[in-house]
Amino acid sequence: MKNFTTLQWKGDIDGCLELTDQRKLPAQFITIQCKTPEQLFDAIKTLAVRGAPAIGVAAAFGICLAAQQLDKSKLSDAVRRIEQQADFLSKSRPTAVNLFWALERMKKTAHDFAAENPGAAIDDLRQCLLTEARKIYAQDVQMCHNIGINGEEFVPVGGSVLTHCNAGALATAGDGTALAPIFEAQRKGKKFKVYVDETRPLLQGARLTAWELQQAGIDTTLICDNMAGALMKDGKINAVFVGADRIAANGDAANKIGTYSISVLAKEHKIPFYVAAPSSTFDLKLQNGSQIPIEQRPAEEIACFMNVQIAPPNVNVYNPAFDVTPAENITAIITEKGVIRCPTEEKIRQIIV
Ligand code: MRU
């Protein structure tokens, strides 16, 4: 289905990370190459690469870039340096837990390698890290595939679904999370329609999701965020599919700002509300959503539109990038390991370990 690559490692241990620059889509399709952790940090912060799983996979390769900068020092010093660079990359964005999940995994890989191979060369450590990052990439592709299979049954035949932000192929190494069941339903020949929220302020819905769905030949209609309630009232929406950036142990789920409002509207109109996310998006250390750190983004993202100032200069702006949908508003969480209906901590812990 996917006819572009969101991110890919080019070459061997001395290679680089190539990203489709999502800041430019859909007007321009261009790729950029990250050759240092600093370049990748900037790419994540400015949303050249975005979406929780894609950020995690990119960060894993970021550790391979960090490994290129190691000199011929002792292995233990190299591991310390890798940990410092992981710490640096972890500060690029705070909400998507996949970033921290992938960096922890890469740090552990470096640590275990050094412990098990005390006399190894730095190039061997680099090779080991690249192998692990490639594994994280491949697992993400597989997780998306399985989310698609597990969630396809919830795409209503002859009906319409609503989605918010972009939780498609551009947000992952594979087919996406929220969009994976939609792509799978399309593959199976189901007829349905997708309404896409534009997703202010950065328009991930209008720019990215509408672009992806159109390319896949799916019946797609773009709406402004504030239209969702009216469409629901008119009976035009039969299900909502969204992704997540972090899911707490009790099932509360952080996702793009505006998701919470849609969940309230869906509940009011008795429309099923599905969150699709891989196990790497769960943060079982957090008891509930109030503990999820919410990223605050620059004022210009709201005060300007497509680089044109639309608000009075110096107006106060509040710009949280995410909100938290309480578990009780979620009909089911679709994961690669199975579907968690009416999520509770007990049910989540049975599936996600
Ligand atoms: O700020 P963004 O574009 O990174 O926000 C992305 C989202 O909110 C997605 O819905 C979420 O990361 C899930 S992506 C599979």
Side-chain angles (χ1 to χ4, degrees), residues 11-260:
D12 198 20
I13 51 172
D14 53 354
C16 67
L17 182 63
E18 189 172 273
L19 305 171
T20 292
D21 189 345
Q22 300 191 35
R23 297 166 297 195
K24 302 279 196 290
L25 286 170
Q28 293 173 54
F29 185 88
I30 57 169
T31 54
I32 52 170
Q33 293 193 336
C34 294
K35 297 184 172 161
T36 64
E38 290 74 20
Q39 286 173 351
L40 179 62
F41 182 99
D42 184 62
I44 294 174
K45 201 175 177 57
T46 61
L47 275 53
V49 60
R50 47 143 302 281
I55 293 171
V57 177
F61 286 116
I63 294 302
C64 302
L65 298 175
Q68 291 172 354
Q69 297 176 339
L70 298 169
D71 52 25
K72 296 211 176 332
S73 53
K74 286 202 314 231
L75 215 45
S76 55
D77 293 338
V79 171
R80 207 164 314 118
R81 184 76 191 128
I82 290 292
E83 284 171 351
Q84 284 166 357
Q85 291 288 61
D87 210 51
F88 165 69
L89 284 170
S90 76
K91 302 208 164 56
S92 54
R93 291 191 79 187
T95 304
V97 76
N98 311 60
L99 172 67
F100 307 94
W101 170 85
L103 290 172
E104 280 307 314
R105 196 164 144 177
M106 294 301 284
K107 279 198 302 193
K108 183 172 181 324
T109 300
H111 190 272
D112 290 355
F113 177 85
E116 288 160 20
N117 307 278
I122 297 290
D123 266 358
D124 296 331
L125 172 64
R126 292 185 177 118
Q127 197 63 61
C128 168
L129 288 168
L130 182 57
T131 302
E132 187 66 10
R134 286 190 163 133
K135 215 183 275 174
I136 289 174
Y137 182 105
Q139 285 171 352
D140 192 59
V141 173
Q142 188 60 46
M143 287 192 283
C144 291
H145 178 75
N146 291 354
I147 287 172
I149 302 284
N150 292 341
E152 178 273 327
E153 64 172 297
F154 304 114
V155 177
V157 179
S160 298
V161 307
L162 173 71
T163 189
H164 188 69
C165 194
N166 174 267
L170 285 165
T172 64
D175 263 1
T177 58
L179 295 196
I182 292 170
F183 290 135
E184 185 58 23
Q186 164 88 345
R187 271 184 214 113
K188 287 207 156 153
K190 268 189 184 176
K191 291 275 169 276
F192 58 92
K193 192 175 167 68
V194 182
Y195 285 100
V196 177
D197 274 347
E198 62 173 345
T199 319
R200 275 283 285 153
L202 295 181
L203 306 176
Q204 287 92 333
R207 296 188 302 105
L208 309 176
T209 302
W211 181 78
E212 274 194 42
L213 292 173
Q214 251 193 358
Q215 292 204 43
I218 290 171
D219 183 348
T220 303
T221 303
L222 179 64
I223 59 170
C224 297
D225 298 337
N226 51 8
M227 296 174 185
L231 266 74
M232 288 183 183
K233 188 157 167 277
D234 290 348
K236 288 192 159 73
I237 309 282
N238 306 103
V240 178
F241 282 78
V242 294
D245 286 80
R246 197 185 290 226
I247 303 176
N250 72 340
D252 291 353
N255 191 49
K256 179 54 56 195
I257 189 75
T259 304
Y260 166 66

Side-chain angles (χ1 to χ4, degrees), residues 253-273:
N255 191 49
K256 179 54 56 195
I257 189 75
T259 304
Y260 166 66
S261 314
I262 300 166
S263 79
V264 174
L265 286 167
K267 200 172 187 179
E268 169 71 17
H269 293 93
K270 302 192 173 29
I271 295 167
F273 183 94

